[in-house]
Amino acid sequence: MSDTTTRALSLLNLLQTHRHWPGAELAERLGVTERTVRRDVERLRDLGYRIESTPGVAGGYRLEAGSAVPPLLLTDEEAVAMAIGLRVAAAQRLVGGSETALTALAKLEQVLPAPLRRRVTALADAVQPTGIRTGEAVSTEVLGELALACRDHERVRFTYTAASGEISRRRVEPYTLAPADRHWYLLCWDVERDDWRTFRVDRVSGIEHTRVLFQPRTLTPEEIEEFILVARSWVRTAVETDIVMDLSIDAMRDAFGQWGQGATPEGAGRTRWPVGGQDFRETMYGMSWVPAGVEYTTDLAEPSRSELRETLERMLRALDAAPPAAVGLARAG
């Protein structure tokens, strides 16, 4: 294999590992001049690879879908079969393999021509994997776009529809995608809110790639797991109420960590925090996490309010029925 061919394949590999490469950085990586990079790009274009180039200081190269499958040593049928298999693997939420399946799927569909992508979509829709619980429908195109953004550390914009129906436009730095229970979640840094946020992927639409790269912040696996756990619990419940506590928003977030999501300042030195559960008992459990010594009020509605009051009154009577010393003596006897 000639040096020119080897260099062209190295260039192709680089183009497949990131969405956008500055020309100067490609030249540095390959140990050649930018003029040589331009020549190698033309060689790859002659082989069927569609490579987009942008001029200017921030210009560079990116690999786009072409009009035919490039020479990946795959037939059309093999490419379609591979893409369908990766979609099924991602949908089945394979332990430790779902993210790999997504990035591989994103890389493959990035170069598939439109007719083959339509075949993949049609066949994948007809394949119904067994043995998994299904949640809300998630666009594989959206998953693929977000997977590429996570891989490339590229800021994106998208439209998000909250459970309440509120629609907002977000600008984020994607960190990771995670399947949990019946849904996919995107963990990212929200640029406008200057904080971590977790979004249900089935509620994401209108993804716009900004081509702005970022240095990802560091999270431990335990922190990622906690973010996803909080997001899974953030759903509408049968009983919902707000707690207004005598604690500033900053002190509240320090005390509650990621479980403080949804909290908002309520005047000076007070914080409003939504709490919910399947019944009043779960709501009571949420209230029990208010730090000791912090006073608070709640707007818990009837009949949950009366049920909670009756339960607490019985608890107090039980505690007052016998002094602690007597209880201890009774056990000793």
Side-chain angles (χ1 to χ4, degrees):
M1 186 178 296
S2 67
D3 291 341
T4 301
T5 302
T6 301
R7 193 176 61 245
L9 291 176
S10 297
L11 173 60
L12 176 60
N13 182 63
L14 289 173
L15 291 172
Q16 287 183 328
T17 57
H18 281 290
R19 176 171 287 273
H20 177 78
W21 280 97
E25 187 171 351
L26 282 176
E28 181 179 353
R29 293 277 186 129
L30 296 170
V32 297
T33 64
E34 292 188 52
R35 182 178 181 182
T36 300
V37 170
R38 289 195 294 270
R39 289 175 177 173
D40 288 342
V41 165
E42 289 303 322
R43 291 188 180 95
L44 291 175
R45 287 169 174 165
D46 291 340
L47 290 173
Y49 292 95
R50 181 177 172 182
I51 301 173
E52 182 187 70
S53 59
T54 53
V57 177
Y61 302 92
R62 59 184 293 168
L63 187 64
E64 298 287 352
S67 58
V69 176
L72 298 174
L73 302 181
L74 294 173
T75 65
D76 287 2
E77 289 72 22
E78 289 171 336
V80 170
M82 182 178 295
I84 292 173
L86 289 170
R87 286 194 181 196
V88 172
Q92 286 181 315
R93 294 143 168 86
L94 299 178
V95 177
S98 55
E99 184 175 351
T100 301
L102 275 176
T103 54
L105 176 62
K107 181 182 291 187
L108 179 59
E109 291 199 348
Q110 185 179 6
V111 295
L112 281 181
L116 290 190
R117 287 202 301 274
R118 288 194 292 270
R119 283 176 57 187
V120 170
T121 300
L123 289 171
D125 288 344
V127 175
Q128 298 296 328
T130 60
I132 62 171
R133 293 189 294 172
T134 58
E136 295 295 329
V138 177
S139 166
T140 52
E141 181 179 356
V142 170
L143 277 174
E145 292 295 326
L146 292 176
L148 286 172
C150 290
R151 183 197 69 181
D152 297 344
H153 305 149
E154 179 189 12
R155 284 184 181 178
V156 296
R157 294 187 183 91
F158 57 74
T159 299
Y160 189 71
T161 304
S164 63
E166 180 184 358
I167 299 176
S168 60
R169 191 68 178 169
R170 303 299 184 106
R171 184 162 59 103
V172 305
E173 297 177 350
Y175 188 85
T176 189
L177 285 163
D181 194 14
R182 296 175 298 168
H183 303 290
W184 279 95
Y185 294 91
L186 171 69
L187 176 57
C188 57
W189 181 264
D190 193 309
V191 177
E192 307 298 342
R193 290 157 179 79
D194 196 31
D195 199 2
W196 290 103
R197 288 292 186 269
T198 309
F199 297 99
R200 278 253 306 264
V201 175
D202 57 281
R203 295 174 179 164
V204 172
S205 62
I207 297 176
E208 176 187 346
H209 291 273
T210 66
R211 300 193 182 185
V212 176
L213 304 183
F214 64 90
Q215 182 63 37
R217 293 163 174 80
T218 302
L219 288 177
T220 66
E222 292 75 19
E223 288 173 325
I224 295 174
E225 184 177 356
E226 184 176 17
F227 273 115
I228 301 304
L229 181 60
V230 171
R232 289 174 57 190
S233 66
W234 197 254
V235 295
R236 296 190 68 84
T237 55
V239 179
E240 295 188 350
T241 183
D242 280 355
I243 293 173
V244 178
M245 62 188 80
D246 296 338
L247 202 63
S248 69
I249 186 69
D250 291 336
M252 187 272 182
R253 287 172 175 165
D254 287 341
F256 283 76
Q258 298 309 319
W259 293 97
Q261 287 190 30
T264 55
E266 186 78 5
R270 307 187 78 202
T271 298
R272 180 179 293 272
W273 183 50
V275 176
Q278 294 306 312
D279 56 31
F280 75 92
R281 297 174 183 84
E282 293 186 5
T283 305
M284 179 175 64
Y285 178 73
M287 294 180 186
S288 71
W289 283 97
V290 176
V294 176
E295 297 296 327
Y296 63 94
T297 61
T298 177
D299 60 358
L300 183 64
E302 297 289 359
S304 298
R305 193 180 191 89
S306 295
E307 292 171 335
L308 176 56
R309 184 187 300 278
E310 191 275 335
T311 298
L312 292 174
E313 288 173 348
R314 280 191 292 116
M315 285 183 176
L316 289 174
R317 289 197 297 271
L319 290 172
D320 294 339
V327 174
L329 290 173
R331 289 177 178 171

